[in-house]
Amino acid sequence: MPLALLALAIGAFGIGTTEFVIMGLLPEVAGDFGVSIPTAGLLVTGYALGVVIGAPLMTVLGTKVPRKRMLMVLMGLFIVGNLLSAVAPAFAVMLIGRVVASLAHGAFFGIGSVVAAELVAPDKKAGAIAMMFTGLTVANVVGVPLGTLIGQNVGWRVTFGIVAALGVVGLAGIARLVPDLPKPEGVHLRHELAAFKNAQVLLAMAMTVLGFGGVFAAITYIAPMMTHIAGFADGSVTWLLVLFGLGMVGGNLIGGRFADRALMPMLYVSLGALAVVLALFTLTAHNKIAAAVTIALIGALGFATVPPLQKRVLDQAHGAPTLASAVNIGAFNLGNALSAWLGGMVIAAGFGYTAPNWVGAVLAAAALVLAVFSAALERRHATRGTASAPAAPTARRTPVHH
């Protein structure tokens, strides 16, 4: 794998850290600004919405810019947003900083996926995408727990300052290691938009929303579920999230490896197994050891879907994949927001802290149904194309004489 992928992975590590570390620092931030925890939660919501909006917006703005230069611009935006958060004199300023940083998120992973795929041979594209996403998964194992620890003991502003410094390292790596990859000739915004007329692109994005949404239906409420149901101490939630992150790292690498060999079968297995494991989590959540194992499996199976889904979008978008790739990153965050909302609804309705697991299982199962339907649709189109192909040449070779 080329060294350029390391630079992309470092950028992804910084982005993953800033996205999730705020969840562990909400009490400290709320206390410093004198706001409630729910109000401080807007820092999470604002970031997620910024990703959904920023992914297509920044990609469209960058359609006329070479991809390497656009990646550097995005890392610059990421640095500015985190520095603004680190020095924010008021809560509103920090919220603005979070939104500014989030605008870089979707476009970075979207354009980065295209660049990563172009750096390697055709049979290694999913593996290259997985290598970049390794930065995001490792952030959940190292960056988020370490950032939370620093924020709780030294100050949350120091954490965001360190994240900004990571952005500087990522920017330098991209400038030094990523080769100049000019935008393909003849590809304009209308070509990028045309990809959304392809039903397979839309189906892949729907699979992304539902499949990854299944993961976050459960993980969003992992703290109350593990403390109230499994009986873990509050301090144990950190290492349980590390287990989840380790599962993500392994699942991401496995998903990338097997997606290059058999993409759709990889999706069938990972989505089907994810639905089963999430359903079983309603039972295993009552036992500490079983719950810990299940959490790692959810991370592994959930992230095993990421490289194949991202590659599926790139393949189906053909010669103009950049915007579709970025929008698919937004789809992951849309799935997170949707599943967190649905999970909260079933808890509020009185079904208990394990009820979000059933929501996740249903979402993952729905993604599996879409995967099967997508493959069947593709086979039908291929069969029609094969059946109709000989007709035209035969007619031309046998003209009618009177």
Side-chain angles (χ1 to χ4, degrees):
M1 290 289 179
L3 274 176
L5 292 177
L6 176 61
L8 294 175
I10 291 170
F13 178 85
I15 290 173
T17 300
T18 204
E19 180 181 17
F20 295 112
V21 75
I22 188 63
M23 297 175 187
L25 297 176
L26 281 184
E28 286 74 19
V29 173
D32 271 11
F33 288 125
V35 299
S36 67
I37 292 290
T39 299
L42 291 174
L43 298 171
V44 178
T45 306
Y47 189 96
L49 292 176
V51 175
V52 174
I53 296 168
L57 176 64
M58 298 306 298
T59 305
V60 166
L61 291 176
T63 51
K64 297 186 181 299
V65 181
R67 287 168 179 158
K68 174 179 177 176
R69 190 182 305 166
M70 191 60 197
L71 286 172
M72 292 172 67
V73 168
L74 292 168
M75 286 311 299
L77 199 62
F78 171 80
I79 293 165
V80 169
N82 281 286
L83 282 177
L84 194 57
S85 293
V87 302
F91 178 78
V93 177
M94 186 177 185
L95 182 57
I96 291 170
R98 291 286 292 167
V99 172
V100 169
S102 73
L103 293 176
H105 184 125
F108 181 87
F109 282 109
I111 296 171
S113 294
V114 176
V115 170
E118 289 182 356
L119 291 172
V120 297
D123 63 339
K124 296 184 182 299
K125 289 184 182 295
I129 294 169
M131 188 62 68
M132 180 189 70
F133 274 97
T134 297
L136 177 64
T137 57
V138 171
N140 283 274
V141 180
V142 179
V144 173
L146 189 58
T148 301
L149 187 66
I150 291 171
Q152 290 173 342
N153 291 278
V154 183
W156 60 267
R157 294 181 186 275
V158 176
T159 296
F160 283 97
I162 292 172
V163 171
L166 283 173
V168 173
V169 174
L171 175 59
I174 291 168
R176 179 70 180 86
L177 300 174
V178 174
D180 287 311
L181 296 169
K183 189 168 67 72
E185 291 295 326
V187 176
H188 302 288
L189 179 57
R190 67 177 181 274
H191 298 118
E192 298 280 357
L193 291 171
F196 295 93
K197 296 179 182 178
N198 185 341
Q200 292 291 359
V201 171
L202 298 179
L203 282 170
M205 290 179 179
M207 283 183 257
T208 297
V209 172
L210 295 172
F212 213 68
V215 173
F216 270 79
I219 295 303
T220 298
Y221 301 98
I222 194 73
M225 195 188 311
M226 290 299 94
T227 54
H228 288 81
I229 305 299
F232 282 105
D234 291 347
S236 300
V237 175
T238 299
W239 71 259
L240 288 171
L241 287 174
V242 170
L243 278 180
F244 175 68
L246 288 171
M248 289 169 67
V249 173
N252 176 58
L253 294 175
I254 292 169
R257 181 181 181 85
F258 285 96
D260 277 323
R261 300 179 183 179
L263 192 150
M264 293 309 290
M266 182 66 212
L267 278 179
Y268 299 153
V269 172
S270 54
L271 288 172
L274 178 62
V276 171
V277 169
L278 283 167
L280 288 175
F281 198 21
T282 57
L283 301 176
T284 60
H286 294 270
N287 178 275
K288 288 183 178 180
I289 295 175
V293 172
T294 306
I295 289 168
L297 284 175
I298 291 171
L301 293 169
F303 238 83
T305 68
V306 174
L309 283 171
Q310 196 68 9
K311 184 173 185 290
R312 179 78 173 166
V313 170
L314 293 180
D315 290 345
Q316 297 299 327
H318 304 302
T322 311
L323 181 58
S325 176
V327 171
N328 197 50
I329 300 299
F332 283 107
N333 284 267
L334 182 60
N336 296 352
L338 173 67
S339 61
W341 174 66
L342 291 173
M345 283 185 66
V346 294
I347 291 174
F351 291 103
Y353 286 121
T354 61
N357 299 329
W358 283 114
V359 173
V362 170
L363 290 174
L368 175 60
V369 170
L370 286 184
V372 172
F373 174 72
S374 175
L377 195 63
E378 195 170 36
R379 285 194 301 270
R380 188 171 69 181
H381 286 171
T383 303
R384 284 180 178 175
T386 304
S388 60
T394 303
R396 286 195 297 270
R397 286 196 302 268
T398 56
V400 177
H401 296 284
H402 293 286

